[in-house]
Amino acid sequence: MAYIDLPEYEQMDPEIQEKARPIMEKTGSLGEIFKLLALRKDIYFATDEMVQKYLIEETELPYRVKEAIALLVSAENGCTMCVDVHRQIAVMLGLKPEEVEKILQGIDAMEASDAEKELLRFCLRAARKDNYKMTKADIDRIKELGFSDTQILEAVAITGYFNYINTLSNVFGLGQEG
């Protein structure tokens, strides 16, 4: 139960309703994060653009890496709602439930290449408040593992997106009981 009143579908701006309609038709409801974002049309559409570009469209990083970032950063940030949502999304994108659970046990439990594990560690470090301590050497190390500048940028952008969405969810009590 959110800490503030959230609009129902019928109360949302018609442009947001149009964008949210496929979700409603597919799932029968909108999650609290959609309702929260719908309070401000500009924030809703800015966030939706990030979701489309970073997570839904095929990009330079495979879906399993993007979802691993989503799950690991959300777990690190204590965002249970985001972890629960991305458990389901990861499976919809082709990960097996047991793969998702291994991700949530931590990077060392995952079945991934050493290079991908290092990229994920880099992302978790980038998600922290002391990320200003990261250096060129940190990026060069990831590049030496075979990742391009644009793949590293994408991974950090996804990391930043989850810090953003986890903050919204946690601050407004989304997915909290009572």
Side-chain angles (χ1 to χ4, degrees):
M1 176 79 102
Y3 300 152
I4 63 173
D5 292 331
L6 301 177
E8 292 303 323
Y9 177 80
E10 299 76 25
Q11 300 166 310
M12 294 176 187
D13 180 278
E15 287 181 69
I16 293 174
Q17 285 178 340
E18 184 178 327
K19 190 75 173 171
R21 187 172 293 113
I23 297 165
M24 285 286 293
E25 290 170 355
K26 187 171 186 176
T27 66
S29 65
L30 286 177
E32 285 185 320
I33 193 68
F34 291 104
K35 293 177 181 183
L36 176 68
L37 295 168
L39 287 170
R40 287 269 309 267
K41 187 171 148 179
D42 56 339
I43 294 172
Y44 182 95
F45 283 105
T47 304
D48 183 66
E49 182 76 8
M50 286 188 283
V51 169
Q52 298 300 320
K53 298 296 181 189
Y54 297 165
L55 302 174
I56 295 176
E57 290 181 8
E58 285 192 38
T59 62
E60 294 182 45
L61 294 175
Y63 286 120
R64 75 176 183 287
V65 171
K66 295 192 287 189
E67 283 303 313
I69 294 168
L71 288 161
L72 290 165
V73 171
S74 295
E76 183 79 12
N77 289 334
C79 187
T80 55
M81 185 200 73
C82 295
V83 168
D84 290 344
V85 167
H86 280 275
R87 267 189 168 111
Q88 296 169 12
I89 291 172
V91 170
M92 285 179 7
L93 293 172
L95 276 76
K96 295 180 178 130
E98 51 274 11
E99 290 176 293
V100 172
E101 292 313 310
K102 283 186 178 187
I103 291 168
L104 290 169
Q105 290 171 19
I107 294 170
D108 291 329
M110 293 174 56
E111 292 177 20
S113 71
D114 289 342
E116 283 183 359
K117 287 181 179 183
E118 285 305 310
L119 177 67
L120 294 170
R121 284 186 185 93
F122 176 86
C123 289
L124 282 179
R125 189 164 166 225
R128 294 188 191 123
K129 298 297 179 213
D130 68 348
N131 58 15
Y132 64 91
K133 295 179 181 177
M134 295 179 85
T135 66
K136 182 179 183 318
D138 295 314
I139 292 178
D140 288 345
R141 184 163 172 259
I142 300 302
K143 287 170 70 169
E144 288 169 7
L145 296 172
F147 293 99
S148 69
D149 290 345
T150 56
Q151 288 173 311
I152 297 167
L153 173 61
E154 180 180 343
V156 174
I158 293 168
T159 299
Y161 170 79
F162 279 95
N163 270 348
Y164 160 70
I165 211 73
N166 296 161
T167 298
L168 288 173
S169 180
N170 288 339
V171 167
F172 289 100
L174 305 187
Q176 303 297 317
E177 297 297 321

